[in-house]
Amino acid sequence: MDINITEDQRMLQDATRRYLEARAPVTYLRQLVEAQTPMPDIAWREGAGQGWLAPFVPESLGGMAESAQGAIDAAIVAEEMGRVVYPGHYLPNSVLAFAIAQWGSQAQRETLLPALAAGEQRGAWCFAAPGVDSGTAPDGVRLERSGGQITLRGVAANVQSAPDADLLLVTATDGEGVTQLLLPAATAGIEVRALDTLDLGRRLADVEFRDVSVTADAVLGAHGAAADCFEQQLQLALVLHCAETVGVIDRALEFTLDYVQQRYAFGRPIGSFQALKHRLADHAAQHEGGKALVARAAKAVQEQAADAAVAVSIAKSHCGRWATEIIRDCLHMHGGIGMTWEHDIQFYLRRAVSNEALWGSPAVHHERLCRLAGL
Amino acid sequence: MSATPDDTKDNAEEHAFRLRAREWLRTHLPPRRLQDEPMMDWADKALIARDRESQRALWEGGLAGITLPREYGGLGLDRRYADIYYEEAQPYRLPWHFGNAFNIVLPTLLAHGSEELKRRYVPAILRGEHLWCQLLSEPSGGSDLAGLTTRAELRGDHWLLNGSKVWTTGGLDCDMGICLARTDPTVPKHAGLTMFLVDMTSPGLAINPIKLISGTVDFCQEFFDDVAVPADHVLGEVGGGWAVASTQLGAEKASMARGWYEGLAAAVESDEIELKDEYGRMARSLGVHEDPRARQLIGEAFVLDAVHTLTTRRVSAGIRNGALPPTAGTLSSLLVALCDVRRSALLSGISGPAGVAAKPGEEGLQWGMTRVTRHRIGGGTTEMQRNGVAERHLGLPRDEADIADRTVPFNRRKVNPDRAQ
Ligand SMILES: Cc1cc2nc3c(=O)[nH]c(=O)nc-3n(C[C@H](O)[C@H](O)[C@H](O)COP(=O)(O)OP(=O)(O)OC[C@H]3O[C@@H](n4cnc5c(N)ncnc54)[C@H](O)[C@@H]3O)c2cc1C
């Protein structure tokens, strides 16, 4: 969270926190997991009804894009979601709403934005090939054009919310460059293969395109001209992803600090042992670093500043790495109880470890930074 | 770094000040040559002498103590004028050996000094007459500053100091020292301390240089043998030395966070992240710029640099606007220390064998050497900083032994049995 948020943003933060604590606390995630059911559609609709996507949707279509600061406002919401390990579909739907609002035709905007914003349609974004380097390049899907027909082939890996999506945004490449398309998930030739996920609050899938044939009106923006659009979407996704990670750390550190002051050993609170104090001090410092980086990344992306690409990769490396380190250690400080199914910290750690690996691991972003530095 | 100063925000008076500063600096200060001249080097006597002359010249030219009150020799102007001065001073070397004097001693003197001490010692700094050192750490310990053992006893109109101080940066060349000593051993350790202003040429004060790993001589050990300090040279109250030391340590931390060498960076900073070319240059010169392992380390170094600058900026702005509590300052000092130490690991990792075995005359060892010499000890070790974050910022309980140690009278506390007299 930036230290310079506006009064409106403070209200957005408070309202989001209150809503999530009332309607989707981490016990809600536990219920879903134990009942082995995904989050019901109606629950996502209720959340979306809070106006979560409004910062991306123009006023003429019921949103508030003109008066909002899209990436910054959305980062505030995402951070709150991290605090409760929210199982909803915020990130992909934000990216879709942003992309359609920015580059969509009048018809695409009018038919899709209100439905996404209301949570009636749910989106997912397909772009990355599988593999260790996955997550920051549109290398999963190839495209072939002949006449007015377009054929898609390939696999987009680890697509967030794909098992629940009605609408897919696909970023594909051909000799002409990068092209984006919008198509129903139910289009013939698309197979959504749900994956087993470490993060129990998130559903991912590999999406295979087997000679999927669509017409040119599925294209979002201009054919072959979406490289920059892709980068802007990626930046937004990374801001939300990192903001969520900051929220995950924030809450885990909070309850760990409580715990070490209540738990006694050798006649004193375990939080008075220097071995724990020093590690918690390091964690608090690294966490503050993460907040500073995410605040800068959100602002840079919102303003399309020259350092936006750099800022998101820096934030992703730092937050990814330290979320895992910090929350693993928080679990450790709980002793045996931390290892139990019954304790909520597992949900935090599962999300942290997943967030480190997805959307480009720290290693992937270090390499990206070298390239951005001209090395 | 030295972009053309932005003078569009100046009002008429500010602009006149800018033009005067520009012209004066051009004719009076030496050029800035950061490539081959360190900011500070206590072994370089010529550089120290040059800094003294520069400070003297700044005083005579009416550019010393821009924001300091007039009654103490300053110009009494607001911060904007200091920014203008630093913008205009970008091409020149500033008298950075006065860092301790300006960053630490001045704020402490202004906060605790008697009127007489302020009128005497503040202008002496501005005139370039006094370089100052800090006489805090002792051979028996620096982290536990309040546990120091140098004694001061009142004899009529002066105090007599006996004991030893150590790791004193610039001890041999400084004119004055700000010295914490024990005036009452019968009360708990923090309560029995008093701060003195000590003339470093006093009879009975022996100063011995200490050689560092790098081979240079930066700091010293002092032995006090009945060193007489006038009674009116107590800073603050007798027995109130800890409060003065807290101001002093706070000033040191604040200036480390702000940038010790004032005027080094242009005053106007953008909040955009810049990737330094330093790492790329280094990797190219070592021929490892395409090596995937080296690129991982370089990528991480970019991350560290951004964490360092953005966190420092966030915390100081956040404390100023009330979004963060004042104790958040402990977070950024600790994080900067962690980044610094980690950066040295990255540099030596990128250079690999070339950092430990270089062809004569070729560069390389300077990167490996950071792994040897880059530590966070001076200005409070990382452990002390962690204690600060944990206890002051996170509110975790103090250690019981620590509580016991701070509550017993000093002369009845536990000591190393081998050392007890
Ligand atoms: C470059 C440099 C410049 C300096 N300049 C000055 C100067 O100008 N004036 C001056 O007075 N001093 C100066 N110092 C001294 C510096 O402040 C001390 O070295 C420092 O405070 C540590 O004290 P010490 O060396 O006695 O180590 P000790 O206090 O003996 O510490 C030894 C080790 O024990 C650890 N330790 C101690 N207490 C605790 C604790 N409670 N919990 C956990 N770990 C602990 C420390 O972190 C350290 O690792 C300088 C030091 C350096 C390196």
Side-chain angles (χ1 to χ4, degrees):
Chain A
M1 181 62 43
D2 201 342
I3 46 162
N4 288 313
I5 62 174
T6 64
E7 197 45 45
D8 283 352
Q9 285 166 337
R10 170 85 50 214
M11 281 161 60
L12 172 67
Q13 182 189 32
D14 288 348
T16 311
R17 184 169 300 186
R18 261 184 282 114
Y19 172 81
L20 290 170
E21 280 172 0
R23 301 291 293 166
V26 71
T27 48
Y28 173 69
L29 171 61
R30 176 177 291 279
Q31 281 164 19
L32 295 179
V33 170
E34 288 176 356
Q36 297 187 325
T37 52
M39 186 167 97
D41 299 354
I42 187 170
W44 170 245
R45 275 208 298 280
E46 182 190 285
Q50 301 297 303
W52 285 339
L53 301 181
F56 303 108
V57 178
E59 280 162 16
S60 59
L61 295 171
M64 46 187 294
E66 290 82 350
S67 59
Q69 292 183 291
I72 300 175
D73 291 359
I76 290 171
V77 173
E79 185 177 324
E80 292 307 315
M81 291 175 172
R83 289 177 55 90
V84 296
V85 198
Y86 184 61
H89 315 293
Y90 186 58
L91 186 152
N93 283 282
S94 296
V95 172
L96 261 80
F98 168 76
I100 294 167
Q102 294 293 311
W103 301 297
S105 66
Q106 186 72 11
Q108 285 166 330
R109 290 155 56 107
E110 280 174 9
T111 47
L112 298 175
L113 285 177
L116 283 175
E120 282 154 12
Q121 285 233 20
R122 288 162 307 176
W125 181 21
C126 307
F127 65 93
V132 281
D133 291 344
S134 181
T136 61
D139 49 6
V141 187
R142 292 288 297 170
L143 164 157
E144 217 171 90
R145 174 153 76 155
S146 83
Q149 279 305 117
I150 291 171
T151 309
L152 299 173
R153 294 190 185 90
V155 178
N158 310 322
V159 180
Q160 189 168 325
S161 296
D164 304 285
D166 314 293
L167 180 68
L168 301 181
L169 168 63
V170 184
T171 308
T173 53
D174 63 5
E176 293 175 55
V178 179
T179 302
Q180 304 205 95
L181 305 101
L182 286 164
L183 35 153
T187 306
I190 295 181
E191 190 191 343
V192 176
R193 292 193 296 264
L195 300 166
D196 290 341
T197 51
L198 185 80
D199 179 349
L200 300 173
R202 187 147 277 164
R203 304 223 298 159
L204 307 179
D206 284 346
V207 180
E208 178 157 9
F209 296 82
R210 283 206 208 96
D211 298 327
V212 175
S213 181
V214 293
T215 54
D217 57 6
V219 172
L220 176 71
H223 192 101
D228 187 52
C229 307
F230 170 80
E231 173 65 27
Q232 285 190 45
Q233 289 160 208
L234 179 70
Q235 289 173 7
L236 174 64
L238 288 169
V239 165
L240 300 189
H241 198 70
C242 293
E244 178 189 74
T245 305
V246 163
V248 174
I249 304 174
D250 210 51
R251 182 67 194 121
L253 261 182
E254 216 170 78
F255 63 67
T256 303
L257 276 169
D258 282 346
Y259 187 73
V260 301
Q261 295 186 73
Q262 283 156 21
R263 175 83 180 167
Y264 272 62
F266 301 91
R268 49 196 262 215
I270 57 172
S272 68
F273 293 111
Q274 200 181 54
L276 303 200
K277 277 157 81 172
H278 279 193
R279 273 147 53 201
L280 286 165
D282 284 354
H283 300 337
Q286 299 291 1
H287 180 41
E288 198 66 26
K291 290 183 195 169
L293 297 181
V294 174
R296 174 61 205 155
K299 189 150 178 271
V301 168
Q302 177 58 24
E303 293 171 354
Q304 295 190 35
D307 63 335
V310 162
V312 294
S313 281
I314 285 177
K316 182 63 172 72
S317 158
H318 181 94
C319 294
R321 169 169 174 206
W322 289 105
T324 301
E325 295 260 339
I326 292 171
I327 302 175
R328 269 185 60 82
D329 199 33
C330 285
L331 186 154
H332 184 90
M333 291 184 196
H334 280 78
I337 191 77
M339 292 294 290
T340 61
W341 176 261
E342 187 191 328
H343 200 285
D344 290 338
I345 196 166
Q346 63 154 322
F347 298 120
Y348 288 82
L349 185 52
R350 286 167 180 271
R351 178 144 301 174
V353 174
S354 303
N355 281 9
E356 177 175 9
L358 296 170
W359 296 93
S361 64
V364 168
H365 285 278
H366 291 163
E367 176 57 32
R368 190 173 122 102
L369 285 168
C370 286
R371 275 181 278 119
L372 289 167
L375 203 61
Chain B
M1 183 174 62
S2 55
T4 326
D6 173 21
D7 56 7
T8 53
K9 281 183 289 175
D10 292 355
N11 64 29
E13 268 168 76
E14 288 164 356
H15 198 65
F17 176 82
R18 181 187 292 282
L19 294 183
R20 181 170 80 75
R22 187 177 295 171
E23 182 52 25
W24 189 91
L25 289 163
R26 194 175 60 76
T27 46
H28 291 83
L29 284 198
R32 186 175 293 193
R33 297 185 293 120
L34 292 181
Q35 303 296 351
D36 41 26
E37 193 176 77
M39 264 83 76
M40 216 164 47
D41 178 359
W42 292 97
D44 187 340
K45 305 301 170 191
L47 195 62
I48 298 172
R50 189 130 54 81
D51 279 1
R52 284 182 186 270
E53 281 162 32
S54 294
Q55 187 57 45
R56 170 99 205 157
L58 282 165
W59 163 266
E60 286 167 352
L63 284 172
I66 294 171
T67 57
L68 287 175
R70 282 166 169 279
E71 60 267 39
Y72 308 126
L75 303 184
L77 297 171
D78 64 36
R79 179 73 210 180
R80 173 83 191 120
Y81 287 86
D83 289 344
I84 292 174
Y85 163 74
Y86 287 124
E87 283 168 27
E88 294 299 328
Q90 281 295 300
Y92 310 104
R93 179 185 167 87
L94 295 174
W96 284 310
H97 281 92
F98 284 82
N100 264 349
F102 279 103
N103 290 331
I104 297 178
V105 176
L106 261 180
T108 312
L109 203 50
L110 289 174
H112 299 279
S114 68
E115 206 46 37
E116 213 174 291
L117 289 177
K118 286 192 278 196
R119 285 183 192 272
R120 175 157 173 200
Y121 287 107
V122 177
I125 292 174
L126 301 185
R127 287 195 299 265
E129 283 165 21
H130 288 164
L131 288 168
W132 282 77
C133 59
Q134 304 195 75
L135 301 162
L136 299 173
S137 305
E138 300 193 353
S140 63
S143 300
D144 181 11
L145 181 58
L148 58 80
T149 60
T150 293
R151 299 179 317 280
E153 285 150 326
L154 189 60
R155 293 279 181 278
D157 63 353
H158 61 267
W159 294 82
L160 281 187
L161 270 60
N162 281 287
S164 173
K165 295 287 177 179
V166 73
W167 322 131
T168 318
T169 304
L172 267 183
D173 295 272
C174 287
D175 309 278
M176 293 292 299
I178 176 167
C179 178
L180 191 61
R182 185 160 309 280
T183 43
D184 185 355
T186 66
V187 292
K189 60 180 181 177
H190 292 88
L193 301 170
T194 303
M195 191 71 81
F196 297 92
L197 305 186
V198 176
D199 180 343
M200 295 300 283
T201 62
S202 305
L205 179 53
I207 308 175
N208 298 337
I210 301 172
K211 194 166 164 182
L212 290 171
I213 297 173
S214 62
T216 60
V217 176
D218 252 25
F219 52 34
C220 302
Q221 177 166 13
E222 295 79 10
F223 294 94
F224 290 73
D225 182 11
D226 278 345
V227 172
V229 177
D232 62 0
H233 274 50
V234 166
L235 184 56
E237 304 293 321
V238 172
W242 188 251
V244 184
S246 300
T247 306
Q248 181 180 351
L249 299 176
E252 180 172 30
K253 287 228 166 61
S255 55
M256 282 168 108
R258 190 176 62 226
W260 185 259
Y261 301 102
E262 272 238 80
L264 189 60
V268 193
E269 286 180 64
S270 98
D271 39 317
E272 277 186 19
I273 302 172
E274 265 179 65
L275 302 183
K276 277 196 217 146
D277 354 310
E278 179 191 330
Y279 305 114
R281 247 199 331 262
M282 170 184 175
R284 284 205 178 86
S285 87
L286 293 164
V288 298
H289 56 289
E290 282 169 0
D291 177 84
R293 281 160 306 180
R295 292 169 74 86
Q296 280 304 310
L297 302 180
I298 294 170
E300 190 187 336
F302 289 138
V303 176
L304 282 183
D305 287 349
V307 170
H308 182 146
T309 15
L310 292 181
T311 310
T312 314
R313 204 176 293 155
R314 170 189 170 85
V315 167
S316 50
I319 292 173
R320 246 181 284 121
N321 80 3
L324 297 175
T327 55
T330 59
L331 290 172
S332 50
S333 331
L334 173 59
L335 192 56
V336 163
L338 298 174
C339 287
D340 240 19
V341 172
R342 176 69 191 152
R343 199 181 288 108
S344 74
L346 297 175
L347 290 174
S348 79
I350 295 167
S351 49
V356 298
K359 294 208 179 72
E362 281 186 15
E363 56 179 5
L365 293 198
Q366 78 270 31
W367 295 309
M369 194 62 181
T370 60
R371 200 71 186 122
V372 178
T373 56
R374 189 69 57 83
H375 295 273
R376 269 309 172 115
I377 295 173
T381 64
T382 19
E383 284 73 26
M384 299 317 290
Q385 300 198 9
R386 289 183 174 114
N387 285 347
V389 172
E391 289 165 10
R392 291 198 283 132
H393 186 67
L394 300 178
L396 292 172
R398 276 185 196 281
D399 190 278
E400 294 199 349
D402 181 16
I403 297 173
D405 185 63
R406 52 177 54 228
T407 41
V408 292
F410 182 77
N411 55 8
R412 287 203 279 121
R413 68 203 279 258
K414 269 194 206 154
V415 289
N416 179 341
D418 296 337
R419 294 272 182 86
Q421 293 108 1

